[in-house]
Structures are given as structure tokens and as C-alpha cells.
Amino acid sequence: MFWNKKPAKEETGKLSGPSPIPRLVQSYLVSKTKMDLSLAEILKAVTRKRSNGGVNGEMAFDLRVFDDSEALATKVPVKDYTSLDESPDLIIYEGWYSEESKQVNLEEKKKVDFNTTIFTETEIQQKIETLKEPGSTVFFYMARGIAHGGPLGTGAAVIELNPNYPGKKEKKYILYLADVADMQPAGKGSKLFDSDKPKELASWVKERHHKRMLAPKI
């Protein structure tokens, strides 16, 4: 009868890929660790059936919580639960949960501060204008863009005081987009455009420097 049929992943023995954190675990993270709900909805989880079940033998699942934007930034392909065996530094929380008994048991594996300061356009412009040494840079985390990693999910905009300025056809500032790992840009990244106007740069950055979104758009 159909109610005795096992889920496909149990029949094939394959582990499921990354997915949103289960609602039960999201609730635990919000209530016990004070994680913002919007962040709990953004982070990802990989699971596998727990061999010995829960405390009383009920069906339970091992679980690992990670940030897929960080995995992309560090070029680690997370296909399933075991993918993180070789990259334990990506695991934020690890443990198990049971929908049957409504139990969640998690251990924090890495302290991550997602509460980054969101600057105003005026503050961004002021920080750009403080660049004095040729080649000096300032960066701002991005919530929209083509890069990866960082507390806002899509890397950082890095603004450099052009070391070749004032040269022929050289503009004062250069804006790059970079991946972020361990809260720092991975180099300057890819050049996007240059400008002589701090206000223009600040306006562009501010459009993409805001609270992290569930589904970032370029």
C-alpha cells in the first residue's frame, strides 16, 4: 500500500542537497540563539537520516547549517551533508532534529556576526572622500550583486583611490566587486567602473548596500 512506500532518497540511498532550514529548526534558532528570522530563512541546511534516531528512537535527522554565499565565495561545492566533512569551517551549527518529538539539538560550530552596520549614502560618500593615499581602499558589504560571501550575502564593493590619478584619461576612483571570505574582500575583485565623483559612487553603492534579502537580485 502507498503509505508504506519509502521516500525516494531512502530507496536510493542518496543524500538530499542543500535546502532551506526546516521550520522546526528555524524556530529553535530564533527562540534559543536569537537569530533574526529573515536570516534563518536565508541560511541553508544539509541533512541525513540519523542512524540511531532521536532520544527515544524516533525518526531524526542529522543537520548542518551553513551560508551558501560563503561556500560560493570560497568555491566549495556543497552537494549534500558529507560535502562539509572536508570544509568544517563552513558549518555554523551542527546537530540533529526530530519532527516526531519536536526536539532540536544544535551546537554552534562557528561564531558569525551577521549584524553588520548599514551606512547611509552620506556616510558612504564621506568614507570615500577620506581616501588620501594613492592605492588606498575602502569597502562596503553588498546585498545585491554578482559576488558572494559576507554578512549581506553578495560580497563587497571595493573603492580604490586610483594610483595612476591624475594621469591621462584616468579618473580619481575605481570601483571593484569582490567576493568576501572571513569578513574581508578577497583582493580588489573585478573592476566595474571608475568615476571622479564620490557622490556618484556612494549612490551606486547605497542601492545595493542594505539589509540582506532572501533572493538577492543584481
Side-chain angles (χ1 to χ4, degrees), residues 25-213:
V25 180
Q26 284 187 23
S27 297
Y28 174 91
L29 290 170
V30 171
S31 62
K32 299 296 184 182
T33 73
K34 307 306 177 185
M35 180 181 287
D36 188 271
L37 176 59
S38 62
L39 178 60
E41 292 175 336
I42 289 171
L43 296 179
K44 292 292 190 291
V46 282
T47 63
R48 68 180 179 189
K49 188 175 180 181
R50 189 172 171 82
S51 59
N52 57 348
V55 174
N56 298 311
E58 71 276 12
M59 181 179 290
F61 294 88
D62 292 319
L63 171 140
R64 287 169 171 169
V65 173
F66 72 104
D67 187 345
D68 61 338
S69 74
E70 184 182 8
L72 289 168
T74 54
K75 297 178 174 55
V76 174
V78 181
K79 298 180 179 180
D80 54 38
Y81 185 93
T82 60
S83 297
L84 293 173
D85 288 347
E86 302 300 321
S87 301
D89 54 310
L90 289 178
I91 302 171
I92 302 173
Y93 285 96
E94 183 173 32
W96 62 272
Y97 75 100
S98 171
E99 293 287 357
E100 289 185 19
S101 61
K102 304 303 179 186
Q103 291 189 76
V104 178
N105 190 316
L106 292 181
E107 177 185 357
E108 186 177 43
K109 306 298 289 186
K110 180 174 67 170
K111 189 71 176 178
V112 181
D113 186 6
F114 289 97
N115 297 315
T116 187
T117 301
I118 302 298
F119 298 106
T120 66
E121 184 174 327
T122 298
E123 290 171 330
I124 294 170
Q125 182 176 338
Q126 290 172 343
K127 288 180 179 294
I128 295 171
E129 291 172 339
T130 61
L131 296 175
K132 300 301 181 185
E133 295 295 324
S136 58
T137 62
V138 63
F139 71 88
F140 304 92
Y141 296 123
M142 296 283 98
R144 291 171 54 196
I146 58 175
H148 305 289
L152 299 185
T154 57
V158 180
I159 297 172
E160 178 187 45
L161 184 59
N162 188 353
N164 298 317
Y165 177 86
K168 188 177 181 180
K169 296 184 179 180
E170 294 288 343
K171 294 187 177 181
K172 189 172 184 179
Y173 303 101
I174 304 174
L175 187 147
Y176 302 85
L177 293 180
D179 289 341
V180 170
D182 295 325
M183 305 299 283
Q184 294 295 315
K188 289 187 295 189
S190 303
K191 180 180 176 179
L192 193 62
F193 68 92
D194 51 16
S195 175
D196 288 321
K197 302 175 181 178
K199 184 173 178 60
E200 177 185 30
L201 291 163
S203 176
W204 188 93
V205 169
K206 183 56 188 173
E207 288 181 3
R208 298 155 180 82
H209 172 75
H210 50 71
K211 185 176 180 180
R212 188 169 179 176
M213 302 183 300

